[in-house]
Amino acid sequence: MPVLFALFALAVPRLVVLVLWFFTHWFRGMFDTLLWPILGFLFLPTTLLWYSAVQHWFGGQWTLWPIVGLVFSLMIDVWSKHGRGSQPEPPRRQGVMRRNYST
């Protein structure tokens, strides 16, 4: 079950953040101000989830594996933002170029 939740969190991290925020005490006492969770929700939701996981599961200690996870979560967030607007442009139609000789 935890593996399915982790896969779900990678697929729709903002939904998981909302579920954790409204139905659990997962984020309580973790941030001094409400600004950081809001910015994390908007721009880096997977990184926000990983940061909160490190605070809970690793006691807030940033050793090798939490840093590796942080790098991967940042890559996932940046990659998903990069992939949205980078649809390839359709090929242009090659046709005969017409000239306008009227003056």
Side-chain angles (χ1 to χ4, degrees), residues 10 13 26-27 43 46 50-51 55 70-71 77 84 90-91 95 101:
L10 289 175
W26 184 258
F27 293 107
F43 298 110
T46 309
W50 181 250
Y51 176 80
Q55 296 302 316
L70 179 70
V71 169
D77 283 332
R84 278 191 201 137
Y101 291 106

Side-chain angles (χ1 to χ4, degrees), residues 39-84:
L39 288 176
F41 177 79
L42 292 175
F43 298 110
L44 300 170
T46 309
T47 306
L48 174 67
L49 286 172
W50 181 250
Y51 176 80
S52 65
V54 169
Q55 296 302 316
H56 283 283
W57 297 333
F58 295 96
Q61 298 295 320
W62 289 93
T63 58
L64 176 66
W65 292 115
I67 291 174
V68 169
L70 179 70
V71 169
F72 279 122
S73 66
L74 282 169
M75 286 172 47
I76 289 168
D77 283 332
V78 171
W79 177 52
S80 66
K81 302 264 186 300
H82 175 70
R84 278 191 201 137

